[in-house]
């Protein structure tokens, strides 16, 4: 119960936005690039296609577009935004933060902000961080964004990783909830640095700066021991999803929607089974977008709220993620609108 607290004023998700690159890359295209098949990819991961951003644009390009849609949907102007938090492992550059680039581009003249690095858990971590800023009473509009251009850090000659990822961004605007008992109610989050060995980028940071050698060795790409990551993800994402329910005395039947990180359909199904939640309540779009890292959860939220219009006032939503670090966590929301 380490994270348990009594919120003074909850944050709620006022609106959402997203950006999807136009270019669709199907599994079939990989068959000409590496030793793989559409059938292997679909059965082992659930992925059928992913979106790929045009080279040279960067995470801020997508984040800005997701943010603009989010603000438009809320009828809010950029000048009203207090804080911008961008979850990403593919910032435009190491510094300045992508949040600063977004701030300038959307014209959020009063906002401050920062990037949050938590791999695939970045959006959940950013959302709960922003929610706490609102709970503390200091800010009224926190823009939370997840944006990753995974295609820029993937080795398209490595069949173990290249088929798994895609590019996208999503955004949510957090505001103080007008009514008690709604909004972001609770969260549980963890890191285990021992997991870093299994999923990381070997070079490009201060310990091993970019050099001809690091480029030649392909050390600027995602390094992943897929089986190890899978083993941990399938256990921890299921555990944390069950934990958030138990500590709030809820069951899978009470939950209207489960919004899981989209890394592998088998991990999603294991978490849903552990929560004893009906498959019809689980948002899945991994088939269309693959693993977009910080983008998966806001893309799912957008699908539920905007595309499918299936979220109602009072609905319980659980978001769960697992990613590099290792990082993992769940957030419990009760929808208000
Ligand atoms: N096409 C064909 N075969 C492939 C392949 C591909 N794209 N990728 C891997 N394989 C092969 C492997 O080389 C291995 O061959 P081997 O047995 O001869 O060594 C075989 O398939 C089985 O590999 P394995 O790792 O056991 O498969 P898996 O069922 O675990 O699925 C992943 C592989 C990567 C899909 C799975 O481990 C996974 O999803 N991991 C988590 C990834 C993730 O979530 N990462 C992001 C952080 S959340």
């Amino acid at each position: 119960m380490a994270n348990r607290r009594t919120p003074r004023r909850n944050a709620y998700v006022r609106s959402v936005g997203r950006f999807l690159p136009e270019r669709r890359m199907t599994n079939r295209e990989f068959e000409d690039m590496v030793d793989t098949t559409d059938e292997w990819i679909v059965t082992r991961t659930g992925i059928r296609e992913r979106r790929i951003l045009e080279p040279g644009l960067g995470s801020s390009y997508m984040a800005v577009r997701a943010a603009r849609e989010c603000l438009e949907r809320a009828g809010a102007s950029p000048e009203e935004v207090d804080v911008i938090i961008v979850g990403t492992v593919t910032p435009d550059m190491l510094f300045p933060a992508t949040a600063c680039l977004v701030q300038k581009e959307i014209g959020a003249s009063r906002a401050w902000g920062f990037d949050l690095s938590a791999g695939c858990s970045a959006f959940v971590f950013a959302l709960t961080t922003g929610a706490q800023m609102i709970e503390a009473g200091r800010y009224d509009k926190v823009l939370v964004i997840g944006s990753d251009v995974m295609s820029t850090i993937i080795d398209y000659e490595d069949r173990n990783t290249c088929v798994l990822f895609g590019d996208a961004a999503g955004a949510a605007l957090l505001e103080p909830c007008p009514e008690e008992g709604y909004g972001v109610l609770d969260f549980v989050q963890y890191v285990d640095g021992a997991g870093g060995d299994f999923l990381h980028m070997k070079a490009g940071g201060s310990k091993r700066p970019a050099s001809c050698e690091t480029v030649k060795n392909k050390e600027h790409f995602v390094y992943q021991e897929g089986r190890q990551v899978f083993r941990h993800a399938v256990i921890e994402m299921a555990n944390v999803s069950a934990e958030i329910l138990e500590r709030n005395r809820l069951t899978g039947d009470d939950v209207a929607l489960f919004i899981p990180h989209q890394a592998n359909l088998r991990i999603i199904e294991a978490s849903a089974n552990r929560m004893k939640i009906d498959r019809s309540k689980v948002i899945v779009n991994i088939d269309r977008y693959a693993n977009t890292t910080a983008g998966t959860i806001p893309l799912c939220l957008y699908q539920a709220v905007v595309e499918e219009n299936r979220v109602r006032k009072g609905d319980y939503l659980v978001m769960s993620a697992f990613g590099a670090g290792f990082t993992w966590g769940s957030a419990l929301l009760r929808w208000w609108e």
Side-chain angles (χ1 to χ4, degrees):
M1 292 282 208
N3 288 335
R4 186 110 192 168
R5 74 253 184 269
T6 312
R8 280 169 292 180
R9 58 167 202 171
N10 289 344
Y12 84 110
V13 175
R14 163 100 184 267
S15 68
V16 291
R18 76 167 179 198
F19 178 80
L20 290 167
E22 268 173 42
R23 158 120 166 79
R24 287 187 157 84
M25 186 173 186
T26 63
N27 289 349
R28 292 252 178 254
E29 292 183 57
F30 286 98
E31 294 180 356
D32 298 330
M33 297 162 66
V34 290
D35 182 13
T36 193
T37 59
D38 173 53
E39 198 262 335
W40 190 96
I41 302 169
V42 172
T43 53
R44 306 306 290 166
T45 70
I47 299 164
R48 292 180 186 278
E49 61 178 44
R50 71 285 294 140
R51 301 297 181 96
I52 302 293
L53 187 68
E54 199 181 308
L57 294 179
S59 278
S60 71
Y61 179 90
M62 302 196 300
V64 161
R65 278 147 187 84
R68 282 192 186 130
E69 185 189 352
C70 184
L71 291 175
E72 271 167 33
R73 286 189 176 281
S77 81
E79 295 84 26
E80 294 173 60
V81 175
D82 297 307
V83 186
I84 300 169
I85 308 175
V86 178
T88 186
V89 291
T90 54
D92 282 28
M93 52 193 95
L94 276 179
F95 67 89
T98 302
C100 301
L101 308 177
V102 172
Q103 179 270 339
K104 171 183 168 276
E105 203 59 36
I106 66 173
S109 51
R110 289 176 46 249
W112 67 283
F114 55 91
D115 288 2
L116 190 154
S117 174
C120 299
S121 306
F123 187 82
V124 173
F125 283 20
L127 181 114
T128 60
T129 302
Q132 289 171 92
M133 290 175 158
I134 286 173
E135 281 169 27
R138 184 75 191 256
Y139 301 108
D140 287 338
K141 281 191 171 53
V142 180
L143 191 54
V144 179
I145 304 169
S147 184
D148 271 304
V149 193
M150 295 306 291
S151 60
T152 59
I153 57 165
I154 293 299
D155 176 3
Y156 282 96
E157 291 177 348
D158 174 14
R159 71 173 183 175
N160 292 292
T161 51
C162 69
V163 301
L164 302 176
F165 297 95
D167 305 334
L173 181 66
L174 302 177
E175 288 188 8
C177 191
E179 207 174 330
E180 236 177 89
Y182 295 86
V184 181
L185 299 185
D186 195 15
F187 63 88
V188 188
Q189 289 169 174
Y190 297 98
V191 306
D192 178 4
D197 290 348
F198 306 121
L199 180 54
H200 58 262
M201 186 187 287
K202 292 194 178 298
S206 54
K207 191 174 175 187
R208 194 161 164 72
S211 66
C212 293
E213 194 193 350
T214 62
V215 172
K216 197 170 94 232
N217 294 343
K218 298 185 164 190
E219 292 177 57
H220 299 274
F221 293 127
V222 170
Y223 170 85
Q224 173 169 266
E225 295 178 30
R227 222 170 282 184
Q228 288 290 345
V229 176
F230 184 90
R231 199 168 62 80
H232 286 86
V234 86
I235 294 168
E236 300 302 358
M237 209 168 100
N239 280 349
V240 79
S241 305
E243 184 181 348
I244 194 103
L245 292 186
E246 280 158 20
R247 66 189 241 150
N248 287 279
R249 294 183 185 81
L250 297 171
T251 69
D253 288 341
D254 300 315
V255 175
L257 277 185
F258 176 45
I259 298 187
H261 172 53
Q262 312 277 308
N264 188 311
L265 192 55
R266 290 178 288 150
I267 299 173
I268 296 171
E269 284 166 352
S271 300
N273 290 342
R274 183 73 199 285
M275 294 167 78
K276 298 192 175 61
I277 190 165
D278 192 82
R279 179 68 177 74
S280 63
K281 297 179 183 177
V282 183
I283 302 288
V284 175
N285 56 29
I286 190 171
D287 52 323
R288 282 174 287 155
Y289 310 132
N291 182 351
T292 56
T293 304
T296 58
I297 303 257
L299 286 190
C300 286
L301 189 61
Y302 187 98
Q303 179 177 326
V305 174
V306 178
E307 288 186 308
E308 297 176 1
N309 186 26
R310 61 187 283 191
V311 190
R312 297 286 169 264
K313 184 175 178 183
D315 280 354
Y316 284 107
L317 273 67
V318 173
M319 298 173 177
S320 298
F322 182 93
F326 292 135
T327 55
W328 67 101
S330 286
L332 174 69
L333 283 72
R334 193 164 178 229
W335 202 253
W336 189 91
E337 59 181 12

